[in-house]
Each structure stands twice: as structure tokens, then as C-alpha cells.
Amino acid sequence: MAGGLVVALGLGLGLYAASGDDGESTGATAGRDTARGTDGDGPAGTGRAPATPTPSRSYALSTAPRTIPAVGAHTPARGPGWRPAAGHRVVVSDGDLADEGRLIAGELGMTYAGKKSDVRAGDLRLALNDDAGANPESYTMTVRGGRVTVSGPSDAGVFYGTRTLKQEVRGGGTAPEGVVRDAPAKPQRGFMLDIARKHFTAGWIEDRVRELGDLKFNQLGLHFSDDQSFRIESDSHPEIVAPQHLTKAQVKKIVALAAERHITVVPEIDSPGHLGAVLAAHPALQLRNVNGVATRGAIDISKEDSANLLDDLLDEYADLFPGAQWHLGGDEYQALTVANPSASYPQLAAASRARFGSGAGVADLATGWLNDRADTMRAHGRTMRVWNDGFFRNTSVKPASDLVVAYWTGKEIGARVPTDYLAAGRKVLNYNDEYLYYVLGEPQTFVYPTGQRIYEQWTPRVLRGSTAVPARYDAQILGGSFAVWCDLANSQTQDQVAAGIRMPLRATAQKLWDARQPSLSWAQFTTLAGRLG
């Protein structure tokens, strides 16, 4: 039956022949009929009955896979494509890909066969290539002849290729014939979770790690210290830990699960502000103004014991979080929100002058504090980020040159536009609170962000409000992060949070991975997300 014959190839899948869009017959058996005699008596000159004919098959030219985020490029081809089947193998060309191989084999119901050099029908092969100049997160996926090969310059790139394949075949789908070549637009693609104000269970966080991995995010931020609570077990200062918290064993499991999915966990112990939970157990270190009134969340940075306490914690958690990234916080230090910080906090002004000279002020001392904490973490080999309102104008003490700006707002006193940081050569991460802040209870002027706004309006260059910075700064913008803040913690359950951030996460993933204007409408993107799960 022309164009409609179902053929079984012994590969565990049924392949439907279809006429090519130009009528050409290009399947694996095309042309075999002409090798037989044409007299109806079997092969020419034999006189035997004809053998069962091998049907001619032709296939439409394949189309690019539909995935979230979208793939960069697809070279179409004619062929049946590929589906996983029980008994098919996942094999690797390099032992370093064993974790990736076992994971995708389990997800697709295949057999992980380890490092093999032989070739079998239905194989999924993972391989490292020697393209040293390529983006380490790039990959190539080739679907040809009933087999798939995913290759990349690193195990991270290969992992992302398996995420694309997993989405392609979800729900019985077929990976289309041809070659996918793909790489992210931005190297840092994050999701930040405020676990200080609201306790999230370890299982819930693990579920988000799996979700993030499938969407090709590579960072999970954990903000675990704030005025309300300190939420991770501590050996050096157990007195500061909230009754509801994550144990170190639970955190290690989260970190290990994230590492399997090439996600770095980026911890944040915010200071010198937002330390209320720590200060509740160390009231002597609470910052007080000239009238003796405590300043909410602020530690007295004129005291050596304050620095020692923070460094104790930074040193302790550096061992728990081995990733290369660290968040120092630095935002909303209340001593710098008053009209005259030196008059309101004379002890800070005196300490600043003693350390930095007669012209130094409170902002210089705060900058020095962050530089000192950066020194602590630099000794652990970390690259550090600081909220943009932790960088101050017109100070004699300059922030360390390697501090990345985590740009979230333009609402602080003396706010600077993003180009001020970019023109100075700073690298920037986009946390734009206009689009990327999911703040529980919608306090102040916050509203829950929608995936549609992110998808249709936001790009990594839109750092503040809705205006993009000039394209010449694009390379300095390392990426961005969608953030959940729990200001009114009981406004939503953790399951409601998961549902509320589902489409914003997918839209953010699309815009961080793919710099092009999306080819799908929002309605089409939503439908695709529903199909992919």
C-alpha cells in the first residue's frame, strides 16, 4: 500500500512509511525491488517463485524537534527517526559519561550497557568529542539508521543532549531523523529559592532540581539566612538554627542530585543586613543607633566579633557547598538608609575613619566588610556575587574587582542604572524584579510574574524595568535567575509555589538558552509545555 505500509524492523518500534515531499524514495530499502527480475519469476534467470518483496519506503523530510528550551539548529533528513524500547542499549564511549548514561537509560526504560565499541540496532550512544574550542555546554545529536549519538566537548553538553532527547520521545514520541546542534546563549541560568523565610521540604527541593535539569538550568540558589530564620544545620553555631531546617545530610543529598544534573548550588548568607535570625542568638552584635535603638537585621560591622561570626559560617558552609559560585548578599544594610549614617551610627563612622582614613564614611566600612568576606570565600576558590545595592557610589574603598553584580532593583537610595556597572567593566547577572521576582503574598508593589510576560517581553539585557541595555554589553551579562522570595510565607503552600512558577520557569529557560525571538506564540508554547509535562 503506497505510502502507508507498516513495517517491522525488529527494533521494537513500528515505522510508518510516508511519501517524501518530493515523491522521492529514500528509505533504507529504496531501489531494492529493481535488483530483482521483472518477469514475475523471481530473481532473473532462476525460474523460482519470487521472494517476498522488500517494500520500498520513503519518508518526509524531518522537522526540528519541539522542546523547551528550543534547540539551536536542526539539519533535517529522511528516515524513520528513533524511539526507545526495552532491550535497547545506552552505551558510552568514555567512562566519564557513566552517570549521564545510567540516568537517561533509567528515564527511557533502556538498558545501560556501559562502555562499548560495538554497534547494535536501537543504540543510544553518548560520546565526548575533542572540539576544545566549542562551548563546553554544547552538544550534537545525530539520529540516523535507527540509532542516536549524543556528543559534546564535556559531560555537561552530553547531559543537555539527553534532555533534548528525553523531551522528544516523551509520551511515545519519535526523535526526528537528522542532526541537532545546540548550545546555550548564556552560561549561567539560575533559579533562586528563599528557604529562610519559608521552610521547603528536602523532597520538594529535589523535585525542583529534577525540573531544573530537564529545562537546562545550571544553578540553584539557596538563600538560607534572613531576619526570620536560619534554615540549615550548623556545627559551628547551632544556636542560630531554626527548629524547622534542613539537615546537612539532606543538603548533601540535594547538592549531589544537582551535581548529577550539572547544576551548581549557590548558597547565600546575606550580610551585613538581613541577619536577624543570627543576631537573635547574638544580641551583643546587633547594630544600634546613637539612641541605642536596634536596627532591624543589621550587624554591627565595627566589631571584630561580628566579622569572626560571619567568617565562621562562611568557612563552615564552604565545605557543604563545593560549587564554584557564592552569593555574599550585601543588600539593604539599614545603616545606609538614613539621612546621615555617620550621625546616626557614630561607632561605624569612627571605625571607618580608623581603618580607611579621615575622609571615610559608613559606606566605606560596608564596602570593606564585603571585601573582607570576599577574601574569606576567595580562599575557598569561589567566584562571588553581590546584590547591586551592596555597591555604593562615591566611596574611597572600592568593591573587589571580581565581584559580580546581581542586579535586582533600581529602588534603592542613590540607585544606579545597570549601565553604570557595565561601563565600569563589571559582569552582571539578571535578577530583574520587574519580571523575575515571585514574591509570596505580593507585598508592596510586587505582582506574581507570568510566563507570558517573560516570554514575550524580557531578555537577559532587560536588567531594570522593561528597557534593554545596549547590545554592546551583552557579553558582560552572564545570565540570569528567576527568584522565589517568601516575604509573606504563608500566602502559598509549597505545592502552590511549584504550580505558580511552572510556566515562568519554562519561559525563563527559553530566554536564557536561546537568544533568538521565539518561533512559537505564547499559546503554542503553553501547549507544548503541557505536552512535555
Side-chain angles (χ1 to χ4, degrees), residues 186 430-432 435-436 453-469 474 477 479-480 507-508 511-512 514-518:
K186 290 299 178 183
N430 191 325
Y431 288 79
N432 187 337
Y435 291 93
L436 305 179
R453 283 198 73 214
I454 297 167
Y455 188 78
E456 295 179 344
Q457 301 176 21
W458 179 82
T459 74
R461 284 173 41 216
V462 179
L463 286 161
R464 173 178 173 176
S466 57
T467 302
V469 300
D474 187 68
I477 301 170
T508 304
K511 303 304 281 289
L512 288 171
D514 188 354
R516 300 168 300 180
Q517 181 70 21

PDB file of all heavy atoms in Angstrom, residues 186 430-432 435-436 453-469 474 477 479-480 507-508 511-512 514-518:
ATOM      1  N   LYS A 186      23.475  31.872  27.204  1.00  0.00           N
ATOM      2  CA  LYS A 186      24.070  32.412  28.427  1.00  0.00           C
ATOM      3  C   LYS A 186      24.645  31.284  29.286  1.00  0.00           C
ATOM      4  O   LYS A 186      24.017  30.243  29.453  1.00  0.00           O
ATOM      5  CB  LYS A 186      23.023  33.189  29.231  1.00  0.00           C
ATOM      6  CG  LYS A 186      22.593  34.494  28.569  1.00  0.00           C
ATOM      7  CD  LYS A 186      23.770  35.447  28.409  1.00  0.00           C
ATOM      8  CE  LYS A 186      23.375  36.729  27.716  1.00  0.00           C
ATOM      9  NZ  LYS A 186      24.566  37.607  27.508  1.00  0.00           N
ATOM     10  N   ASN A 430      21.284  38.858  35.832  1.00  0.00           N
ATOM     11  CA  ASN A 430      19.989  39.494  35.751  1.00  0.00           C
ATOM     12  C   ASN A 430      18.990  38.821  36.693  1.00  0.00           C
ATOM     13  O   ASN A 430      18.629  37.659  36.498  1.00  0.00           O
ATOM     14  CB  ASN A 430      19.486  39.414  34.308  1.00  0.00           C
ATOM     15  CG  ASN A 430      18.275  40.276  34.056  1.00  0.00           C
ATOM     16  OD1 ASN A 430      17.417  40.449  34.915  1.00  0.00           O
ATOM     17  ND2 ASN A 430      18.182  40.807  32.848  1.00  0.00           N
ATOM     18  N   TYR A 431      18.569  39.579  37.732  1.00  0.00           N
ATOM     19  CA  TYR A 431      17.509  39.143  38.646  1.00  0.00           C
ATOM     20  C   TYR A 431      16.339  40.139  38.599  1.00  0.00           C
ATOM     21  O   TYR A 431      15.636  40.307  39.591  1.00  0.00           O
ATOM     22  CB  TYR A 431      18.006  39.099  40.085  1.00  0.00           C
ATOM     23  CG  TYR A 431      18.970  38.011  40.485  1.00  0.00           C
ATOM     24  CD1 TYR A 431      20.324  38.094  40.183  1.00  0.00           C
ATOM     25  CD2 TYR A 431      18.547  36.909  41.229  1.00  0.00           C
ATOM     26  CE1 TYR A 431      21.227  37.118  40.600  1.00  0.00           C
ATOM     27  CE2 TYR A 431      19.435  35.926  41.649  1.00  0.00           C
ATOM     28  CZ  TYR A 431      20.774  36.034  41.329  1.00  0.00           C
ATOM     29  OH  TYR A 431      21.661  35.068  41.752  1.00  0.00           O
ATOM     30  N   ASN A 432      16.122  40.798  37.501  1.00  0.00           N
ATOM     31  CA  ASN A 432      15.171  41.892  37.351  1.00  0.00           C
ATOM     32  C   ASN A 432      13.863  41.647  38.109  1.00  0.00           C
ATOM     33  O   ASN A 432      13.083  40.760  37.780  1.00  0.00           O
ATOM     34  CB  ASN A 432      14.884  42.086  35.865  1.00  0.00           C
ATOM     35  CG  ASN A 432      14.043  43.314  35.574  1.00  0.00           C
ATOM     36  OD1 ASN A 432      13.313  43.811  36.422  1.00  0.00           O
ATOM     37  ND2 ASN A 432      14.141  43.796  34.345  1.00  0.00           N
ATOM     38  N   TYR A 435      10.331  41.311  36.374  1.00  0.00           N
ATOM     39  CA  TYR A 435       9.926  40.120  35.638  1.00  0.00           C
ATOM     40  C   TYR A 435      10.202  38.808  36.374  1.00  0.00           C
ATOM     41  O   TYR A 435       9.477  37.830  36.192  1.00  0.00           O
ATOM     42  CB  TYR A 435      10.649  40.049  34.289  1.00  0.00           C
ATOM     43  CG  TYR A 435      10.236  41.099  33.305  1.00  0.00           C
ATOM     44  CD1 TYR A 435      10.928  42.300  33.214  1.00  0.00           C
ATOM     45  CD2 TYR A 435       9.146  40.905  32.460  1.00  0.00           C
ATOM     46  CE1 TYR A 435      10.558  43.277  32.302  1.00  0.00           C
ATOM     47  CE2 TYR A 435       8.760  41.868  31.539  1.00  0.00           C
ATOM     48  CZ  TYR A 435       9.471  43.059  31.469  1.00  0.00           C
ATOM     49  OH  TYR A 435       9.098  44.020  30.569  1.00  0.00           O
ATOM     50  N   LEU A 436      11.257  38.773  37.155  1.00  0.00           N
ATOM     51  CA  LEU A 436      11.799  37.509  37.644  1.00  0.00           C
ATOM     52  C   LEU A 436      11.622  37.285  39.135  1.00  0.00           C
ATOM     53  O   LEU A 436      12.154  36.319  39.674  1.00  0.00           O
ATOM     54  CB  LEU A 436      13.293  37.415  37.292  1.00  0.00           C
ATOM     55  CG  LEU A 436      13.657  37.591  35.822  1.00  0.00           C
ATOM     56  CD1 LEU A 436      15.166  37.488  35.635  1.00  0.00           C
ATOM     57  CD2 LEU A 436      12.949  36.563  34.950  1.00  0.00           C
ATOM     58  N   ARG A 453       4.698  37.223  30.172  1.00  0.00           N
ATOM     59  CA  ARG A 453       5.469  38.478  30.167  1.00  0.00           C
ATOM     60  C   ARG A 453       6.950  38.188  29.947  1.00  0.00           C
ATOM     61  O   ARG A 453       7.629  38.910  29.207  1.00  0.00           O
ATOM     62  CB  ARG A 453       5.282  39.231  31.487  1.00  0.00           C
ATOM     63  CG  ARG A 453       3.970  39.964  31.625  1.00  0.00           C
ATOM     64  CD  ARG A 453       4.066  41.013  32.729  1.00  0.00           C
ATOM     65  NE  ARG A 453       4.879  42.145  32.324  1.00  0.00           N
ATOM     66  CZ  ARG A 453       5.670  42.841  33.154  1.00  0.00           C
ATOM     67  NH1 ARG A 453       5.778  42.486  34.427  1.00  0.00           N
ATOM     68  NH2 ARG A 453       6.355  43.865  32.714  1.00  0.00           N
ATOM     69  N   ILE A 454       7.471  37.180  30.614  1.00  0.00           N
ATOM     70  CA  ILE A 454       8.872  36.834  30.438  1.00  0.00           C
ATOM     71  C   ILE A 454       9.126  36.419  28.992  1.00  0.00           C
ATOM     72  O   ILE A 454      10.077  36.870  28.341  1.00  0.00           O
ATOM     73  CB  ILE A 454       9.276  35.707  31.401  1.00  0.00           C
ATOM     74  CG1 ILE A 454       9.146  36.171  32.857  1.00  0.00           C
ATOM     75  CG2 ILE A 454      10.711  35.239  31.129  1.00  0.00           C
ATOM     76  CD1 ILE A 454       9.230  35.042  33.875  1.00  0.00           C
ATOM     77  N   TYR A 455       8.265  35.575  28.479  1.00  0.00           N
ATOM     78  CA  TYR A 455       8.432  35.009  27.145  1.00  0.00           C
ATOM     79  C   TYR A 455       8.349  36.078  26.062  1.00  0.00           C
ATOM     80  O   TYR A 455       9.129  36.072  25.099  1.00  0.00           O
ATOM     81  CB  TYR A 455       7.352  33.951  26.932  1.00  0.00           C
ATOM     82  CG  TYR A 455       7.489  33.122  25.685  1.00  0.00           C
ATOM     83  CD1 TYR A 455       8.398  32.076  25.610  1.00  0.00           C
ATOM     84  CD2 TYR A 455       6.669  33.356  24.574  1.00  0.00           C
ATOM     85  CE1 TYR A 455       8.497  31.284  24.469  1.00  0.00           C
ATOM     86  CE2 TYR A 455       6.757  32.572  23.432  1.00  0.00           C
ATOM     87  CZ  TYR A 455       7.681  31.543  23.383  1.00  0.00           C
ATOM     88  OH  TYR A 455       7.781  30.763  22.262  1.00  0.00           O
ATOM     89  N   GLU A 456       7.426  37.011  26.222  1.00  0.00           N
ATOM     90  CA  GLU A 456       7.173  37.990  25.171  1.00  0.00           C
ATOM     91  C   GLU A 456       7.954  39.290  25.329  1.00  0.00           C
ATOM     92  O   GLU A 456       8.182  39.996  24.339  1.00  0.00           O
ATOM     93  CB  GLU A 456       5.676  38.302  25.107  1.00  0.00           C
ATOM     94  CG  GLU A 456       4.827  37.103  24.685  1.00  0.00           C
ATOM     95  CD  GLU A 456       3.338  37.404  24.645  1.00  0.00           C
ATOM     96  OE1 GLU A 456       2.911  38.438  25.229  1.00  0.00           O
ATOM     97  OE2 GLU A 456       2.594  36.608  24.052  1.00  0.00           O
ATOM     98  N   GLN A 457       8.403  39.637  26.555  1.00  0.00           N
ATOM     99  CA  GLN A 457       8.969  40.962  26.769  1.00  0.00           C
ATOM    100  C   GLN A 457      10.395  40.969  27.303  1.00  0.00           C
ATOM    101  O   GLN A 457      11.149  41.901  27.040  1.00  0.00           O
ATOM    102  CB  GLN A 457       8.084  41.752  27.748  1.00  0.00           C
ATOM    103  CG  GLN A 457       6.661  41.943  27.297  1.00  0.00           C
ATOM    104  CD  GLN A 457       5.826  42.649  28.354  1.00  0.00           C
ATOM    105  OE1 GLN A 457       6.342  43.338  29.241  1.00  0.00           O
ATOM    106  NE2 GLN A 457       4.517  42.476  28.275  1.00  0.00           N
ATOM    107  N   TRP A 458      10.764  39.951  28.065  1.00  0.00           N
ATOM    108  CA  TRP A 458      12.046  40.001  28.774  1.00  0.00           C
ATOM    109  C   TRP A 458      13.146  39.335  27.959  1.00  0.00           C
ATOM    110  O   TRP A 458      12.912  38.353  27.249  1.00  0.00           O
ATOM    111  CB  TRP A 458      11.917  39.304  30.125  1.00  0.00           C
ATOM    112  CG  TRP A 458      13.191  39.281  30.919  1.00  0.00           C
ATOM    113  CD1 TRP A 458      13.687  40.283  31.702  1.00  0.00           C
ATOM    114  CD2 TRP A 458      14.118  38.194  31.019  1.00  0.00           C
ATOM    115  NE1 TRP A 458      14.877  39.890  32.278  1.00  0.00           N
ATOM    116  CE2 TRP A 458      15.171  38.614  31.872  1.00  0.00           C
ATOM    117  CE3 TRP A 458      14.180  36.918  30.463  1.00  0.00           C
ATOM    118  CZ2 TRP A 458      16.251  37.797  32.195  1.00  0.00           C
ATOM    119  CZ3 TRP A 458      15.257  36.097  30.771  1.00  0.00           C
ATOM    120  CH2 TRP A 458      16.281  36.539  31.621  1.00  0.00           C
ATOM    121  N   THR A 459      14.349  39.881  28.072  1.00  0.00           N
ATOM    122  CA  THR A 459      15.566  39.219  27.603  1.00  0.00           C
ATOM    123  C   THR A 459      16.637  39.453  28.663  1.00  0.00           C
ATOM    124  O   THR A 459      16.479  40.333  29.529  1.00  0.00           O
ATOM    125  CB  THR A 459      16.067  39.771  26.257  1.00  0.00           C
ATOM    126  OG1 THR A 459      16.661  41.068  26.469  1.00  0.00           O
ATOM    127  CG2 THR A 459      14.943  39.864  25.225  1.00  0.00           C
ATOM    128  N   PRO A 460      17.757  38.734  28.623  1.00  0.00           N
ATOM    129  CA  PRO A 460      18.803  38.971  29.619  1.00  0.00           C
ATOM    130  C   PRO A 460      19.336  40.396  29.635  1.00  0.00           C
ATOM    131  O   PRO A 460      19.907  40.829  30.649  1.00  0.00           O
ATOM    132  CB  PRO A 460      19.889  37.966  29.212  1.00  0.00           C
ATOM    133  CG  PRO A 460      19.141  36.842  28.582  1.00  0.00           C
ATOM    134  CD  PRO A 460      18.033  37.519  27.825  1.00  0.00           C
ATOM    135  N   ARG A 461      19.152  41.135  28.543  1.00  0.00           N
ATOM    136  CA  ARG A 461      19.606  42.529  28.521  1.00  0.00           C
ATOM    137  C   ARG A 461      18.620  43.473  29.201  1.00  0.00           C
ATOM    138  O   ARG A 461      18.949  44.645  29.438  1.00  0.00           O
ATOM    139  CB  ARG A 461      19.852  42.977  27.081  1.00  0.00           C
ATOM    140  CG  ARG A 461      21.156  42.436  26.495  1.00  0.00           C
ATOM    141  CD  ARG A 461      21.307  42.749  25.008  1.00  0.00           C
ATOM    142  NE  ARG A 461      20.867  44.084  24.669  1.00  0.00           N
ATOM    143  CZ  ARG A 461      20.256  44.413  23.528  1.00  0.00           C
ATOM    144  NH1 ARG A 461      19.988  43.479  22.623  1.00  0.00           N
ATOM    145  NH2 ARG A 461      19.889  45.656  23.299  1.00  0.00           N
ATOM    146  N   VAL A 462      17.434  43.002  29.527  1.00  0.00           N
ATOM    147  CA  VAL A 462      16.459  43.833  30.264  1.00  0.00           C
ATOM    148  C   VAL A 462      16.745  43.645  31.747  1.00  0.00           C
ATOM    149  O   VAL A 462      16.184  42.785  32.419  1.00  0.00           O
ATOM    150  CB  VAL A 462      15.014  43.430  29.901  1.00  0.00           C
ATOM    151  CG1 VAL A 462      14.018  44.286  30.684  1.00  0.00           C
ATOM    152  CG2 VAL A 462      14.779  43.582  28.400  1.00  0.00           C
ATOM    153  N   LEU A 463      17.637  44.468  32.257  1.00  0.00           N
ATOM    154  CA  LEU A 463      18.132  44.326  33.621  1.00  0.00           C
ATOM    155  C   LEU A 463      17.305  45.094  34.642  1.00  0.00           C
ATOM    156  O   LEU A 463      17.229  44.710  35.807  1.00  0.00           O
ATOM    157  CB  LEU A 463      19.583  44.811  33.699  1.00  0.00           C
ATOM    158  CG  LEU A 463      20.633  43.884  33.081  1.00  0.00           C
ATOM    159  CD1 LEU A 463      21.920  44.642  32.792  1.00  0.00           C
ATOM    160  CD2 LEU A 463      20.922  42.725  34.024  1.00  0.00           C
ATOM    161  N   ARG A 464      16.722  46.183  34.217  1.00  0.00           N
ATOM    162  CA  ARG A 464      15.962  47.042  35.141  1.00  0.00           C
ATOM    163  C   ARG A 464      14.713  47.527  34.421  1.00  0.00           C
ATOM    164  O   ARG A 464      14.791  47.991  33.283  1.00  0.00           O
ATOM    165  CB  ARG A 464      16.815  48.224  35.577  1.00  0.00           C
ATOM    166  CG  ARG A 464      16.084  49.269  36.403  1.00  0.00           C
ATOM    167  CD  ARG A 464      17.047  50.368  36.812  1.00  0.00           C
ATOM    168  NE  ARG A 464      16.376  51.477  37.472  1.00  0.00           N
ATOM    169  CZ  ARG A 464      17.005  52.525  37.987  1.00  0.00           C
ATOM    170  NH1 ARG A 464      18.334  52.591  37.936  1.00  0.00           N
ATOM    171  NH2 ARG A 464      16.331  53.492  38.554  1.00  0.00           N
ATOM    172  N   GLY A 465      13.572  47.415  35.071  1.00  0.00           N
ATOM    173  CA  GLY A 465      12.338  47.802  34.410  1.00  0.00           C
ATOM    174  C   GLY A 465      12.136  46.981  33.163  1.00  0.00           C
ATOM    175  O   GLY A 465      12.344  45.769  33.147  1.00  0.00           O
ATOM    176  N   SER A 466      11.744  47.636  32.074  1.00  0.00           N
ATOM    177  CA  SER A 466      11.476  46.930  30.823  1.00  0.00           C
ATOM    178  C   SER A 466      12.358  47.407  29.674  1.00  0.00           C
ATOM    179  O   SER A 466      12.087  47.099  28.518  1.00  0.00           O
ATOM    180  CB  SER A 466       9.995  47.113  30.441  1.00  0.00           C
ATOM    181  OG  SER A 466       9.677  48.496  30.336  1.00  0.00           O
ATOM    182  N   THR A 467      13.434  48.124  30.007  1.00  0.00           N
ATOM    183  CA  THR A 467      14.318  48.676  28.972  1.00  0.00           C
ATOM    184  C   THR A 467      15.605  47.871  28.893  1.00  0.00           C
ATOM    185  O   THR A 467      16.268  47.644  29.910  1.00  0.00           O
ATOM    186  CB  THR A 467      14.648  50.151  29.276  1.00  0.00           C
ATOM    187  OG1 THR A 467      13.425  50.892  29.361  1.00  0.00           O
ATOM    188  CG2 THR A 467      15.520  50.743  28.171  1.00  0.00           C
ATOM    189  N   ALA A 468      15.966  47.473  27.694  1.00  0.00           N
ATOM    190  CA  ALA A 468      17.195  46.701  27.496  1.00  0.00           C
ATOM    191  C   ALA A 468      18.403  47.620  27.466  1.00  0.00           C
ATOM    192  O   ALA A 468      18.330  48.751  26.975  1.00  0.00           O
ATOM    193  CB  ALA A 468      17.110  45.909  26.193  1.00  0.00           C
ATOM    194  N   VAL A 469      19.508  47.138  27.995  1.00  0.00           N
ATOM    195  CA  VAL A 469      20.774  47.865  27.862  1.00  0.00           C
ATOM    196  C   VAL A 469      21.295  47.657  26.450  1.00  0.00           C
ATOM    197  O   VAL A 469      20.890  46.734  25.742  1.00  0.00           O
ATOM    198  CB  VAL A 469      21.809  47.400  28.910  1.00  0.00           C
ATOM    199  CG1 VAL A 469      21.285  47.624  30.326  1.00  0.00           C
ATOM    200  CG2 VAL A 469      22.194  45.937  28.696  1.00  0.00           C
ATOM    201  N   ASP A 474      26.210  42.903  25.965  1.00  0.00           N
ATOM    202  CA  ASP A 474      25.620  41.570  26.098  1.00  0.00           C
ATOM    203  C   ASP A 474      26.591  40.549  26.683  1.00  0.00           C
ATOM    204  O   ASP A 474      26.216  39.735  27.523  1.00  0.00           O
ATOM    205  CB  ASP A 474      25.105  41.085  24.747  1.00  0.00           C
ATOM    206  CG  ASP A 474      24.344  39.782  24.857  1.00  0.00           C
ATOM    207  OD1 ASP A 474      23.256  39.777  25.445  1.00  0.00           O
ATOM    208  OD2 ASP A 474      24.867  38.754  24.381  1.00  0.00           O
ATOM    209  N   ILE A 477      26.831  40.310  30.442  1.00  0.00           N
ATOM    210  CA  ILE A 477      25.676  39.783  31.167  1.00  0.00           C
ATOM    211  C   ILE A 477      25.782  38.268  31.133  1.00  0.00           C
ATOM    212  O   ILE A 477      25.567  37.628  30.103  1.00  0.00           O
ATOM    213  CB  ILE A 477      24.358  40.270  30.545  1.00  0.00           C
ATOM    214  CG1 ILE A 477      24.324  41.804  30.573  1.00  0.00           C
ATOM    215  CG2 ILE A 477      23.164  39.699  31.306  1.00  0.00           C
ATOM    216  CD1 ILE A 477      23.180  42.406  29.779  1.00  0.00           C
ATOM    217  N   GLY A 479      24.079  35.931  32.501  1.00  0.00           N
ATOM    218  CA  GLY A 479      22.843  35.158  32.501  1.00  0.00           C
ATOM    219  C   GLY A 479      21.867  35.771  33.470  1.00  0.00           C
ATOM    220  O   GLY A 479      21.849  36.989  33.670  1.00  0.00           O
ATOM    221  N   GLY A 480      21.056  34.933  34.075  1.00  0.00           N
ATOM    222  CA  GLY A 480      20.057  35.461  34.981  1.00  0.00           C
ATOM    223  C   GLY A 480      19.477  34.380  35.865  1.00  0.00           C
ATOM    224  O   GLY A 480      19.834  33.203  35.769  1.00  0.00           O
ATOM    225  N   ALA A 507       9.527  29.751  30.630  1.00  0.00           N
ATOM    226  CA  ALA A 507       9.800  30.934  29.820  1.00  0.00           C
ATOM    227  C   ALA A 507      11.214  31.457  30.063  1.00  0.00           C
ATOM    228  O   ALA A 507      11.923  31.843  29.127  1.00  0.00           O
ATOM    229  CB  ALA A 507       8.771  32.021  30.131  1.00  0.00           C
ATOM    230  N   THR A 508      11.645  31.468  31.328  1.00  0.00           N
ATOM    231  CA  THR A 508      12.993  31.922  31.655  1.00  0.00           C
ATOM    232  C   THR A 508      14.035  31.009  31.023  1.00  0.00           C
ATOM    233  O   THR A 508      15.049  31.472  30.476  1.00  0.00           O
ATOM    234  CB  THR A 508      13.189  31.976  33.176  1.00  0.00           C
ATOM    235  OG1 THR A 508      12.185  32.817  33.762  1.00  0.00           O
ATOM    236  CG2 THR A 508      14.558  32.521  33.544  1.00  0.00           C
ATOM    237  N   LYS A 511      14.442  31.854  27.356  1.00  0.00           N
ATOM    238  CA  LYS A 511      15.093  33.119  27.038  1.00  0.00           C
ATOM    239  C   LYS A 511      16.573  33.141  27.423  1.00  0.00           C
ATOM    240  O   LYS A 511      17.348  33.917  26.870  1.00  0.00           O
ATOM    241  CB  LYS A 511      14.333  34.281  27.705  1.00  0.00           C
ATOM    242  CG  LYS A 511      12.864  34.376  27.318  1.00  0.00           C
ATOM    243  CD  LYS A 511      12.627  34.476  25.821  1.00  0.00           C
ATOM    244  CE  LYS A 511      12.849  35.854  25.263  1.00  0.00           C
ATOM    245  NZ  LYS A 511      11.823  36.816  25.669  1.00  0.00           N
ATOM    246  N   LEU A 512      16.962  32.327  28.392  1.00  0.00           N
ATOM    247  CA  LEU A 512      18.378  32.247  28.763  1.00  0.00           C
ATOM    248  C   LEU A 512      19.156  31.313  27.836  1.00  0.00           C
ATOM    249  O   LEU A 512      20.359  31.496  27.633  1.00  0.00           O
ATOM    250  CB  LEU A 512      18.529  31.776  30.211  1.00  0.00           C
ATOM    251  CG  LEU A 512      18.131  32.775  31.288  1.00  0.00           C
ATOM    252  CD1 LEU A 512      18.121  32.101  32.658  1.00  0.00           C
ATOM    253  CD2 LEU A 512      19.076  33.978  31.313  1.00  0.00           C
ATOM    254  N   ASP A 514      18.188  30.469  24.516  1.00  0.00           N
ATOM    255  CA  ASP A 514      18.049  30.789  23.092  1.00  0.00           C
ATOM    256  C   ASP A 514      17.879  32.290  22.934  1.00  0.00           C
ATOM    257  O   ASP A 514      16.877  32.859  23.365  1.00  0.00           O
ATOM    258  CB  ASP A 514      16.839  30.041  22.529  1.00  0.00           C
ATOM    259  CG  ASP A 514      16.705  30.152  21.022  1.00  0.00           C
ATOM    260  OD1 ASP A 514      17.483  30.904  20.408  1.00  0.00           O
ATOM    261  OD2 ASP A 514      15.819  29.477  20.465  1.00  0.00           O
ATOM    262  N   ALA A 515      18.849  32.940  22.284  1.00  0.00           N
ATOM    263  CA  ALA A 515      18.819  34.394  22.145  1.00  0.00           C
ATOM    264  C   ALA A 515      17.877  34.866  21.039  1.00  0.00           C
ATOM    265  O   ALA A 515      17.601  36.066  20.926  1.00  0.00           O
ATOM    266  CB  ALA A 515      20.231  34.913  21.876  1.00  0.00           C
ATOM    267  N   ARG A 516      17.367  33.958  20.239  1.00  0.00           N
ATOM    268  CA  ARG A 516      16.502  34.348  19.127  1.00  0.00           C
ATOM    269  C   ARG A 516      15.091  34.704  19.606  1.00  0.00           C
ATOM    270  O   ARG A 516      14.670  34.300  20.681  1.00  0.00           O
ATOM    271  CB  ARG A 516      16.409  33.202  18.107  1.00  0.00           C
ATOM    272  CG  ARG A 516      17.731  32.791  17.489  1.00  0.00           C
ATOM    273  CD  ARG A 516      17.597  31.482  16.730  1.00  0.00           C
ATOM    274  NE  ARG A 516      17.172  30.379  17.601  1.00  0.00           N
ATOM    275  CZ  ARG A 516      16.978  29.141  17.175  1.00  0.00           C
ATOM    276  NH1 ARG A 516      17.149  28.843  15.902  1.00  0.00           N
ATOM    277  NH2 ARG A 516      16.599  28.196  18.029  1.00  0.00           N
ATOM    278  N   GLN A 517      14.391  35.449  18.784  1.00  0.00           N
ATOM    279  CA  GLN A 517      12.979  35.669  19.041  1.00  0.00           C
ATOM    280  C   GLN A 517      12.267  34.320  18.975  1.00  0.00           C
ATOM    281  O   GLN A 517      12.453  33.561  18.019  1.00  0.00           O
ATOM    282  CB  GLN A 517      12.395  36.616  17.980  1.00  0.00           C
ATOM    283  CG  GLN A 517      10.924  36.942  18.143  1.00  0.00           C
ATOM    284  CD  GLN A 517      10.638  37.817  19.348  1.00  0.00           C
ATOM    285  OE1 GLN A 517      11.540  38.499  19.840  1.00  0.00           O
ATOM    286  NE2 GLN A 517       9.403  37.809  19.834  1.00  0.00           N
ATOM    287  N   PRO A 518      11.469  33.951  19.981  1.00  0.00           N
ATOM    288  CA  PRO A 518      10.815  32.640  19.941  1.00  0.00           C
ATOM    289  C   PRO A 518       9.981  32.457  18.688  1.00  0.00           C
ATOM    290  O   PRO A 518       9.297  33.381  18.234  1.00  0.00           O
ATOM    291  CB  PRO A 518       9.938  32.649  21.199  1.00  0.00           C
ATOM    292  CG  PRO A 518      10.602  33.621  22.120  1.00  0.00           C
ATOM    293  CD  PRO A 518      11.173  34.683  21.229  1.00  0.00           C
TER     294      PRO A 518
END
